[in-house]
Amino acid sequence: MAESFDNIIVTGGCGFIGSNFVHYVIENDLVGHVTVLDKLTYAGNPRNLNGLPEDRVELVVGDICDAALLDRLVPGHDAIVHYAAESHNDNSIADPEPFLKTNVEGTYRLLQAARSHGVRFHHISTDEVYGDLALDEPRRFEPDDPYRPSSPYSSTKASSDLLVRAWVRTYGVRATISNCSNNYGPYQHVEKFIPRQITNVIDGVRPKLYGDGRNVRDWIHTEDHSSAVWRILTEGRIGETYLIGANGERSNIDVLRAILERMGKGSDDFDWVRDRPGHDRRYAIDPSKLETELEWRPRHTDFLGGLDQTIAWYRQHESWWRPAKIAAEVRYAQFE
Ligand code: NAD
Ligand code: DAU
């Protein structure tokens, strides 16, 4: 029997994936009200919530590390869905500190608030906690695999997952965890691979491919991530970890060449650049637990069709991404 929720908190709801989830639950009338708690870092944009009814979505600008704020905010809500994070590997290599603060301390503060106020908690995490796989390895990540994070970012996400597991076992917090693969779609920050290359081509700048370009990511449309999180929140077993993926493995060079072809460029119109330190080789999710236990299926199974829609969205929303693009490329110029 599915659990129902009327008034939830979504942390990081002005970011890429969190805002998609807010649209998903409001537009499908799955909850009555959402309180978005977001610090509005460089990655948060309140415009991501445009079009949602003001009487059903409230934005509270604040930090998940602020325990006093959480104590005021959490009572009266029936669940916390925790997306807020520093989310970009390259930034974590340049400066790990904000990752420790938000991803580890922030998750700890939220768990304490969920514990004090008896609120259901769902933690959004990443497949990167499992490290990486070889290109020719005939297996994919499974929920009980050992944690082997490679980057400052993924090690802080792994730490946050372990905190959640401990708070379930020791304090009885009613929590679940999901570890998802690489998301794509509209509203993704232009520091990330797909939107960075699309906006480079729009700007007449050659895209940048790290290393030998053979690294593999397992792509999922962000709306499928949202539907899976809702399924886990309402029907998942407390204390369980569910892996979210849509069988979307592709090498970076294949994704880049698909973007170039769709945008009218030649297949070699890009620059090879220095590899990311510690660069994970391959991610691949085995989603069978989610599919068999919770009967979840992705809807966006046509990756190239989804890529076409994503390219069209960036072409049509330059005012949304332009300020972030300028700042992101200044950051990249410092370490490329
Ligand atoms: P994002 O960087 O686009 O958004 C993060 C949001 O969190 C922003 O709105 C930001 O303002 C907010 N935030 C950051 N620090 C905060 C703090 N201290 N207090 C309150 N708000 C804060 O991230 P995203 O790509 O949407 O990722 C969201 C979540 O999903 C993260 O937990 C990430 O680890 C996880 N995840 C992402 C992917 C992916 O492909 N992007 C895949 C799997 C899991
Ligand atoms: O797997 C889930 C993870 O996916 C999430 O936890 C992270 O929050 C999210 O950022 C993403 O991490 P990646 O490091 O895989 O994503 P990114 O978009 O940074 O890079 C994707 C791949 O593309 C990676 O192999 C590095 C490569 N790359 C990236 C950039 C920005 C390039 O070759 N060139 C680039 O300019």
Side-chain angles (χ1 to χ4, degrees), residues 226-248:
S226 292
S227 69
V229 167
W230 179 254
R231 186 67 60 88
I232 296 164
L233 178 71
T234 53
E235 298 182 37
R237 284 181 294 138
I238 297 302
E240 291 293 312
T241 290
Y242 296 89
L243 304 194
I244 305 174
N247 304 310

Side-chain angles (χ1 to χ4, degrees), residues 135 193 208-217 250-257 268 270-276 279-282:
L135 294 181
F193 181 57
K208 312 276 184 269
L209 190 63
Y210 295 171
D212 65 6
R214 293 177 63 219
N215 305 63
V216 167
R217 296 296 182 263
R250 283 175 188 265
S251 69
N252 291 343
I253 192 161
D254 283 353
V255 172
L256 179 54
R257 288 202 161 124
D268 291 324
F270 65 89
D271 291 332
W272 302 95
V273 297
R274 181 172 81 85
D275 206 359
R276 172 186 282 173
H279 197 176
D280 281 336
R281 199 58 168 156
R282 169 175 161 243

Side-chain angles (χ1 to χ4, degrees), residues 15-17 38-39 41 44 63-64 83 87 102 125 153 157 183:
F16 164 47
I17 309 178
D38 198 299
K39 188 178 170 183
T41 68
D63 193 330
I64 56 168
Y83 287 88
S87 70
T102 287
S125 193
Y153 161 68
K157 292 297 290 187
N183 285 220

Side-chain angles (χ1 to χ4, degrees), residues 10-15 18-20 22 36-38 45 48-49 59 83-84:
V10 176
T11 73
C14 291
S19 63
N20 186 283
V22 178
V36 172
L37 173 59
D38 198 299
N45 188 340
N48 296 4
L49 302 175
L59 170 59
Y83 287 88

Side-chain angles (χ1 to χ4, degrees), residues 87-90 125-128 153 157 180-183 188 191-194 196-197 208-211 215-217 219 252 273 276 279-280 283 332 336:
S87 70
H88 191 40
N89 275 300
D90 291 321
S125 193
T126 169
D127 56 0
E128 296 191 22
Y153 161 68
K157 292 297 290 187
C180 188
S181 59
N182 285 62
N183 285 220
Q188 185 165 31
E191 68 193 349
K192 304 279 167 48
F193 181 57
I194 288 179
R196 186 181 187 208
Q197 312 313 349
K208 312 276 184 269
L209 190 63
Y210 295 171
N215 305 63
V216 167
R217 296 296 182 263
W219 294 99
N252 291 343
V273 297
R276 172 186 282 173
H279 197 176
D280 281 336
Y283 303 142
Y332 274 123
E336 264 179 12

Side-chain angles (χ1 to χ4, degrees), residues 68-97:
L69 169 64
L70 296 181
D71 261 341
R72 287 197 304 277
L73 198 64
V74 171
H77 292 90
D78 42 28
I80 299 171
V81 186
H82 174 33
Y83 287 88
E86 288 291 338
S87 70
H88 191 40
N89 275 300
D90 291 321
N91 294 343
S92 81
I93 295 166
D95 179 13
E97 183 124 358

